[in-house]
Amino acid sequence: MSKTTYKTNYNNKNNSKNQKNTKKSAPSLSNEKNQFLDKPLYIYLLLFISCLLVYFNSFQNELIYNWDDAGYILKNPYIDSLSWQNIKDIFSNFYFSNYQPLTLIVYAVIFKFVGTKVFLYHFVQFIFHVLNTFLVYKFISLLQNKKWISIGVALLFAVHPMHVESVAWISEMKDVLYTFFFLLALITYHYYVNKSDKKTKWYLLTIFLFILSLLSKPSAVIFSVVLLAMDLYYERLWRWRTWIEKIPFFLLSLGFGIITLTAQKSAIADIGPILKTYERALIVIHNYILYLWKFFLPLKLSVAYPYPSKIVGGALPTEFFIMPIVFIALCIIVYLLRKDKKFVWGILFFTINLLMVVGIIPIGSMVANERYTYVPYIGLAFAVLTLMDKYIKNFKINYIILIIVVVIFTISAHQRTYVWKNGEALFSDVIKKYPRYPFAYNNRGFLYWNYYAKDKYKDNPALKEKYIKKALQDFTMAINIFPDYAEPYLHRGILYYNIYKFEESLTDLNKFLQLEPNNVDGLLNRGNTLAFMGKYEESIQDFNNYIKHRDKDPQAYMWRGLSYLHLQNYNLAIKDLKKSISLDSTNYEPYYWLGVAYFNQSIYDSSLYFLDKSIQFNPNNSNTYGLKGACYINTQQYHKAIEQLSKAIELDPYNLTAYLYRSNAYKLIGDLANAQKDIEILQKNNVIK
């Protein structure tokens, strides 16, 4: 089809003129007497209200602490300032197994204004979803001239329950952001193809928007292939110029694809030992049908879809062998409808945008994710509404069906936002859907321990104990379901360590390192556990192995230094503690332990120097003042000793060592009355008889 013919067929203005002279056997929204839908402002208002009805509740949802939000917002070293150094680091480093610098900059801008308060993050994400909905309407309007189809596709995009994950989860800011530039680039490409003037401007603008999309999320690499589908739709695919003009796009896709594979190397799941090649193919087909099916019936939604457990005989469940038959039937349907260009293009758009996420390259521990449908469902909605328009000739019936579906989806999606209230609600929902999914128990247990017990309720003994028990139950359940699942052993081992059950901690950490021998987190935590058990030489071996992988970790040098300190190897202890300070000069602990090391060698001047440095960075540590007091006693400066020991007791009235030293200092200056008071406290606490 020539460019002139295309303009005749797809230019809305020309079509509206032609329609005046045609018989109204199949009325469209554009020739219905509907003043509301003839005004773009009202259409955009309808789309905005539809988005708001779904997501208004989500603005106050908490961070999902146990699934990425903590890493992206609470503990992200790149967003704490908008300095040039931080921006440079954002563009020159991977973060969370992704290269997404533009998304991190958006986080950094929001963080500058509100820190970790959630409302603005959710609101910005919602606004991008609204803008994406507007762009979907615009894009589909450019592809065809049936206004009801354009509105219908945009409404389904706005309210589909499968899209809640992309909008309600702060960690998926990258999803709405890359889609925003992705859709803009499709629109500018349309203008490049169909406008006769300023073609270079539209072409370069498309490349620029494509780059912004790539910088937001790696999923944008598929854009180059989508452009070929666009060319097929415009009937210009088999021209040599069409392929030449795609070279920059494919080069960008290739470059960012290599970057993505490098970044996600650790996240790519090794399912080779678990699944045979044909089984992996069955899972890819199953995923495709799953995403297709959930477009029509978004039921049993879950933030995590587990890989199937093989049934008796080591085979996949029966449904996986049925799916290829369903897939072949769908292929036959598409073949029979191959002359319907709009339908075929919609299916192509859906399929192409799923290629990177359908499981050909398995990422993580889940077989499918709802967020992967955010862009693909645009094509599927277009294909379905196109068929409805073609085969259901009555406009009112189409309109009624669309309204019913949109209302049902709006209610369902809104209810789904409550599941995203916090990490507990989210993973409790997963467990409800998949009660034998160990990943869900492990994640919820991590939340119970690492956030609720360790942080949120650390000053409430009853609630802290409650969540410790709940965490232990979840970790144990995960292990019971899948004894070779490594991560819950690590988490339970860390929990046992923190509640002083060192034998249990060591057992779990040994099992974890048996499953993952070179895991640095396991080495570090087992080293700490061994040190607290007095097995200092064994702990040093773990610290040595850890430092081989993480030689810039100041804490590791400090902990190894403590083990050397307990072994009275003061030279190596001092060397490690000073190395720790060179890597992080603001941490008070290595200064304190250097004070201990020099005190134990009776080098009191050096001890006092490092203790003073420790106080500079933490003036509220009782033990530091206590040790200073001991130094002053040993240098016969008794009044200074009493002053420092009194400060230690003021900070910690239960510092019995400080009472013991102070009673001796009082005796040495002849103040027996105050010495006796300290002795009575020590007797009451059974320190002395």
Side-chain angles (χ1 to χ4, degrees), residues 303-314:
V303 72
Y305 293 84
Y307 274 93
S309 299
K310 292 188 178 183
I311 57 177
V312 178

Side-chain angles (χ1 to χ4, degrees), residues 512-575:
F512 174 74
L513 286 166
Q514 179 184 333
L515 294 168
E516 295 191 14
N518 297 315
N519 186 285
V520 291
D521 290 330
L523 291 168
L524 186 63
N525 283 285
R526 189 174 68 178
N528 283 332
T529 300
L530 289 166
F532 266 87
M533 295 174 73
K535 300 179 179 181
Y536 300 114
E537 292 181 353
E538 292 178 56
S539 75
I540 288 169
Q541 293 176 15
D542 277 345
F543 292 137
N544 288 342
N545 289 329
Y546 175 84
I547 288 170
K548 285 179 184 177
H549 300 280
R550 300 278 177 84
D551 62 349
K552 302 297 183 184
D553 185 345
Q555 291 291 98
Y557 288 101
M558 186 186 74
W559 287 322
R560 188 174 68 177
L562 290 181
S563 288
Y564 283 129
L565 184 61
H566 283 95
L567 291 171
Q568 298 182 7
N569 190 335
Y570 296 118
N571 289 334
L572 289 179
I574 290 169
K575 180 180 178 182

